[in-house]
Structure formats: C-alpha cells, structure tokens
Amino acid sequence: MSDAAQPTAAEVRAAAEAVKTALDRHLAAIERRSGEDDPAVSEAFNQLAAAAEVYDELLYDRFDEVTPFEIPGAEEALPPYAGPEEPNAISVLIRRDYIVAEPQRLLAQAQRVEAAEYDDGADDDDAAGTVPGALGILFGEFEPDEIASRHKEFGLEEGDSTLWVTAAEEPPEAGEWLEAPFEHVDPQQVVCRFDVSAVFDEESDGEEDDELDFVDEDDEELEPLDAEK
C-alpha cells in the first residue's frame, strides 16, 4: 500500500476501540442468551468478527503487524441442523484427493488388471499406457474404499478428504443429481461432517511415521492383484 493510502494512527486506534466495544457486546449477548442457537449471540459474534478483521487489516497496513488470534468466518462452519428429525433417506458425499506420486507404479498396476481381462494381454486401445487411462481402469475395477486402503500400491499419495452425511425426507429421483453430484447441498441438511487434512496433522506426522511400518515396495515386487470380481 502506498504512503498516501495508509490509514492514520487515529484510524487504527478507532478500529481497536470498535473491537473492544464488539467484545463487550458479544460477552453481554452470551450472558443473556436464551439457548444454544440464540440469534443475538450469532449477531454479536459476526459483529466482533467484522470489527476484528477491520482492525487487523488497518494494523497491518499502518504498522506491518498482525493480531495473534483468528476468528473463523461464517463460511467455515456449518449452520445448525434444520433437517427432518427422522430422515427417510440420507446421502453420503465423499471427496478424496490424491497425488500421483509414482506414475510408473500406477501404469504397471493398471496394465496387470488389463492383462488379466484380455486374453492377448492388452486392449486395442492400450488405455493402461497413459495415466488418465490407468486411473480409469483402476477406479473402474476397484471400489473407492479399497483404493483408499491400498493407495500406495497404486502409486498414489493421500491428500485432503471430506465426508458429509445429509438428510432428506424422501430419496431423490433416480439419475436427477448425477450431472452435478455436489452442487445442490443444503448446509442445514448436513447431519455430520468429517474432514481429514495434513493441516490438522502437522504436529503428529512424526509420531505416525514411527508407529506405522510400511513394506518397502518396488515395481518388481508388487503384491498380486485379484482382478476378478
């Protein structure tokens, strides 16, 4: 930010006073709350978050300093559940991210599956010869949970994953959401959510490496795959 556009010290001080006021209002709303989902508490929380964000930005712009705390935004948390008390149907939404860490291992595993399916040992399209083709073969042959448990055998490295369980009064019509499976999720229908990320495990990564003993695998000593289902 240029010097001309920098906030004044007085503006930073005013923003700090606004945070103090918002803190007092937030505490007062909590002390008077009528229940777990009191809208007054939510409103005071949002006002405090907004005031803190303004102060943090002005503090940085003026003094190149930041606050030591972070208030999560509303988009980072699910709203209170407002779905049916006894849902007649649920949907389980799962996303798992992987890194293709060993492309040659991935290709080798796909080629073994392909060889088991064709008498001449290869398909005319040679789908297993490319990474996209190999992924299509493996994910078409194995269940996602099996790939998750054996991802190292397929040359994959785990990334973030999330699982959402949503409730509904009635199951959707067959085929109606297939084109956009995650597009129309109502956050208030989410019964529970489970996230896995390296961000959460940075402090415990060393301990996990000590506890888990993986077999050292190479391309010539792969565990045989049962390609027949």
Side-chain angles (χ1 to χ4, degrees):
M1 178 178 287
S2 65
D3 292 339
Q6 282 186 345
T8 65
E11 289 174 327
V12 178
R13 171 61 62 181
E17 293 299 327
V19 172
K20 297 176 185 178
T21 300
L23 276 168
D24 290 337
R25 290 175 178 171
H26 184 244
L27 178 58
I30 291 174
E31 293 172 336
R32 298 192 303 266
R33 66 182 176 188
S34 57
E36 292 185 0
D37 300 325
D38 191 330
V41 174
S42 298
E43 179 64 23
F45 174 89
N46 292 334
Q47 290 176 355
L48 175 58
E53 183 177 1
V54 171
Y55 172 62
D56 193 78
E57 290 179 355
L58 293 178
L59 186 70
Y60 181 79
D61 291 342
R62 176 66 185 182
F63 299 109
D64 198 26
E65 293 288 346
V66 295
T67 56
F69 52 83
E70 180 180 355
I71 300 178
E75 71 278 0
E76 298 178 10
L78 292 172
Y81 176 69
E85 292 185 5
E86 297 183 5
N88 295 319
I90 64 168
S91 295
V92 180
L93 290 77
I94 301 175
R95 171 172 171 169
R96 296 188 179 111
D97 285 358
Y98 296 97
I99 298 169
V100 181
E102 300 180 72
Q104 293 305 316
R105 178 178 292 276
L106 176 73
L107 295 173
Q109 295 285 35
Q111 288 164 2
R112 294 175 68 178
V113 172
E114 193 174 51
E117 291 183 347
Y118 296 94
D119 294 337
D120 59 1
D123 183 11
D124 292 339
D125 294 334
D126 195 21
T130 66
V131 170
L135 289 169
I137 290 173
L138 293 176
F139 278 87
E141 182 68 21
F142 299 98
E143 295 290 338
D145 287 343
E146 185 172 1
I147 290 180
S149 66
R150 302 175 61 183
H151 62 278
K152 287 182 176 291
E153 297 178 35
F154 302 122
L156 303 175
E157 181 180 317
E158 286 182 314
D160 290 356
S161 66
T162 187
L163 182 151
W164 295 31
V165 179
T166 65
E169 293 285 0
E170 300 295 338
E173 294 293 331
E176 70 177 4
W177 52 261
L178 294 179
E179 293 299 322
F182 306 112
E183 187 173 306
H184 302 294
V185 179
D186 182 354
Q188 290 189 304
Q189 303 292 316
V190 176
V191 178
C192 54
R193 170 180 173 176
F194 304 95
D195 298 323
V196 177
S197 174
V199 173
F200 307 145
D201 302 327
E202 286 177 352
E203 296 182 357
S204 60
D205 278 348
E207 297 177 2
E208 290 178 356
D209 290 341
D210 292 338
E211 294 174 359
L212 298 179
D213 185 16
F214 291 105
V215 176
D216 185 17
E217 300 169 337
D218 55 53
D219 289 342
E220 296 179 357
E221 297 179 357
L222 296 174
E223 178 184 350
L225 295 177
D226 182 6
E228 297 180 2
K229 290 202 169 184

